[in-house]
């Protein structure tokens, strides 16, 4: 969620004085030092450390990591270990990245990368490239004799999600499969691929040469599914982020691809507010009874766009959060804080940020610091006078995150809402968000980024909703194989058929 209490000076500085290959040797002493620092950072700064895992579970994963170091020899292997621990916590706002120069060197690599684009369709990983060595739509069974299920399980650690959500990880894997494979397994000369054509009885085997980093992404940009899923990757202009259209005399479609429109003072937010007021005035005047709300590409954005939108789709009083807290009074461990300035003057620069944190989280309870009733997050909001009272059909997908998942979860909590699609990457009951912070490990220069505010969202208890999962649909609908081949929207067509049956 791109809501900030203050502006942090987050400069990712390049490392000086050590090698730039991720495959270089890296000493166990340095690994142990950095793992200890990483653990200390999480314990002192990250309020979400025990959100989805018990203390016993977190202690166990660190014990595993400490023991695992004895089996590691390279920088890449250590980065993978830190990624594993990062992912285990369960927060889509967690991110662990290698230094810029190492990342730039990956991009320069001329060989070693998997050459084909893949996409998850109905439980299988399919070829998403036309005119390649393997036919479009063929199912991958194994790569270099590793079952694809095992490959995916290994690569999941690189794309974090809230709780124990798995659907969201498919987004990162479909985009960066080749890079993730290289990070996990190293550079490969070629790939032995066992695959099966659609409806074939027997599998086939082929050996394909590796390609460069840039060649893989060139092929990904030319993927078969681009006409269908490009909106997820697009840098949207303001007039592409939302729209409304009538479907028939009784039904309409409200599409919101993003809440990135600035806060109350921005012109883009003001234009969006005018759009909503106009749309819902017309909906009421035209006696629209059914409204499809499509947020399948909404990865979040700025407050209060999500809340203003919800005020047109509810009949209840509401607030953004039931509670929100952080785990420190003053920013800890400043010597590792990644702001690109000398350590000795960092306390001077972060002083005002500490005061703002203390103003926003003034209530101390069990050594944590909570917002009070004066916080904007706890402001009681009312439905708009033209708020919709008919049937809502909410379309969701794994791409729905942060402010998008907060909004979707609130709408899904309405009694007049049917939720259709796939589980969201963002949690239903809450998440860690709002304010990102970055730290840099001293030896490896690995940067760890996470959001520090632990949020409990203002949503009702639902019998079909697990605490450690994203928003679960009432009706799970995924794209079919036939619609994948034709780039047809299975979920939208399913919803339109529901409306016809009403």
């Amino acid at each position: 969620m791109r809501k900030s209490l203050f502006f942090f000076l987050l400069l990712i500085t390049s490392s000086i004085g050590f090698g730039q290959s991720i495959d270089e040797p890296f000493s166990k002493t340095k690994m142990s030092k950095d793992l200890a620092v990483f653990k200390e950072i999480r314990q002192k700064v990250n309020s979400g450390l025990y959100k989805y895992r018990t203390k016993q579970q977190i202690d166990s994963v660190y014990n595993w990591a400490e023991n695992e170091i004895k089996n590691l020899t390279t920088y890449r292997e250590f980065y993978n270990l830190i990624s594993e621990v990062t992912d285990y916590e369960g927060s889509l706002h967690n991110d662990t990245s290698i230094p810029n120069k190492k990342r730039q060197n990956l991009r320069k690599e001329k060989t070693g990368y998997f050459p084909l684009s893949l996409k998850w369709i109905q439980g299988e990983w399919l070829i998403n490239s036309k005119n390649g060595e393997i036919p479009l739509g063929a199912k991958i069974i194994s790569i270099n004799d590793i079952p694809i299920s095992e490959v995916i399980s290994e690569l999941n650690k690189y794309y974090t999600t809230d709780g124990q959500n798995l659907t969201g990880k498919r987004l990162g894997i479909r985009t960066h499969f080749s890079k993730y494979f290289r990070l996990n397994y190293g550079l490969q000369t070629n790939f032995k691929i066992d695959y099966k054509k659609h409806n074939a009885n027997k599998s086939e085997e082929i050996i394909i040469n590796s390609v460069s980093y840039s060649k893989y992404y060139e092929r990904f940009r030319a993927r078969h599914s681009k006409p269908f899923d490009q909106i997820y990757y697009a840098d949207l202009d303001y007039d592409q982020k939302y729209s409304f259209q009538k479907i028939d005399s009784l039904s309409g479609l409200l599409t919101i691809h993003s809440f990135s429109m600035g806060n109350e003072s921005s012109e883009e937010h003001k234009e969006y507010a005018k759009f909503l007021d106009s749309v819902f005035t017309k909906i009421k005047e035209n006696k629209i009874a059914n409204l499809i709300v499509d947020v399948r590409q909404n990865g979040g954005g700025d407050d209060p766009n999500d809340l203003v939108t919800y005020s047109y789709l509810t009949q209840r009083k509401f607030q953004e959060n039931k509670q929100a807290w952080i785990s420190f009074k003053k920013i800890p461990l400043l010597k590792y804080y990644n702001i690109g300035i000398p350590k000795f003057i960092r306390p001077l620069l972060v002083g005002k940020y500490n005061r703002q944190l203390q103003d926003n989280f003034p209530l101390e309870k069990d050594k944590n610091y909570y917002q009070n009733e004066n916080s904007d997050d706890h402001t009681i909001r009312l439905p708009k006078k033209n708020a919709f009272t008919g049937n809502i059909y909410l379309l969701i997908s794994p791409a729905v995150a942060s402010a998008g998942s907060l909004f979707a979860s609130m709408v899904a909590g309405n009694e007049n809402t049917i939720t259709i699609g796939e589980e969201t990457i963002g949690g239903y009951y809450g998440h860690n968000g709002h304010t990102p912070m970055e730290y840099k490990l001293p030896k490896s220069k690995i940067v760890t980024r996470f959001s520090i505010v632990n949020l409990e969202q203002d949503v009702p208890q639902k019998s079909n909703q697990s605490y450690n999962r994203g928003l679960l649909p009432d009706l799970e609908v995924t794209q079919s194989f036939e619609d994948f081949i034709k780039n047809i929207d299975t979920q939208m067509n399913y919803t339109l058929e529901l409306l016809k049956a009403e």
Side-chain angles (χ1 to χ4, degrees), residues 412-424:
N414 295 344
E415 293 183 359
N416 62 332
T417 297
I418 296 176
T419 306
I420 301 166
E422 301 172 78
E423 180 184 354
T424 66

Side-chain angles (χ1 to χ4, degrees), residues 109-310:
E109 289 178 331
K110 301 299 184 183
T111 186
Y113 286 78
F114 190 80
L116 304 174
S117 176
L118 305 181
K119 188 170 183 178
W120 184 95
I121 299 292
Q122 295 187 318
E124 310 287 355
W125 286 93
L126 307 183
I127 294 295
N128 191 20
S129 305
K130 289 181 178 177
N131 305 318
E133 297 91 335
I134 303 176
L136 172 68
K139 176 176 69 174
I140 298 297
I141 298 172
S142 67
I143 301 174
N144 291 349
D145 295 321
I146 307 170
I148 189 64
S149 59
E150 182 179 330
V151 172
I152 298 302
S153 180
E154 286 289 326
L155 304 193
N156 277 339
K157 61 178 169 282
Y158 299 115
Y159 201 79
T160 56
T161 60
D162 279 346
Q164 297 179 36
N165 167 270
L166 292 177
T167 60
K169 294 179 180 296
R170 299 170 194 158
L171 300 177
I173 290 174
R174 81 180 185 194
T175 308
H176 303 294
F177 181 87
S178 187
K179 181 176 73 173
Y180 291 170
F181 197 101
R182 185 265 184 270
L183 289 172
N184 194 74
Y185 296 104
L187 294 168
Q188 307 290 312
T189 302
N190 51 46
F191 297 88
K192 183 174 74 171
I193 304 171
D194 192 20
Y195 68 94
K196 185 182 289 186
K197 297 176 183 176
H198 184 59
N199 287 335
N201 294 323
K202 293 183 178 181
S203 64
E204 301 180 44
E205 183 180 295
I206 188 173
I207 296 178
I208 303 177
N209 290 332
S210 66
V211 297
S212 67
Y213 178 103
S214 60
K215 187 65 175 180
Y216 166 76
Y217 283 102
E218 178 185 326
R219 291 186 175 186
F220 175 77
R221 288 189 292 271
R223 67 194 178 280
H224 162 74
S225 66
K226 183 175 181 178
F228 177 78
D229 55 31
Q230 179 57 21
I231 192 70
Y232 175 75
Y233 303 96
D235 184 12
L236 300 175
D237 292 331
Y238 75 93
D239 58 349
Q240 297 174 307
K241 294 177 182 178
Y242 51 86
S243 64
F244 174 78
Q245 66 181 86
K246 284 187 68 175
I247 297 171
D248 56 37
S249 61
L250 293 176
S251 304
L253 168 62
L254 175 65
T255 301
I256 312 168
H257 291 316
S258 173
F259 287 125
S260 296
M261 306 152 194
N263 60 24
E264 296 97 329
S265 63
S266 74
E267 288 303 314
E268 192 171 350
H269 164 81
K270 293 174 184 178
E271 287 300 314
Y272 180 61
K274 291 178 184 177
F275 163 81
L276 290 174
D277 183 64
S278 174
V279 163
F280 282 94
T281 298
K282 291 177 182 177
I283 286 174
K284 190 169 186 177
E285 291 174 349
N286 294 330
K287 299 180 179 180
I288 297 293
N290 305 304
L291 181 63
I292 300 173
V293 180
D294 185 358
V295 292
R296 286 176 293 170
Q297 305 301 332
N298 197 315
D302 310 302
D303 284 344
N305 301 299
D306 49 350
L307 304 175
V308 171
T309 310
Y310 180 66

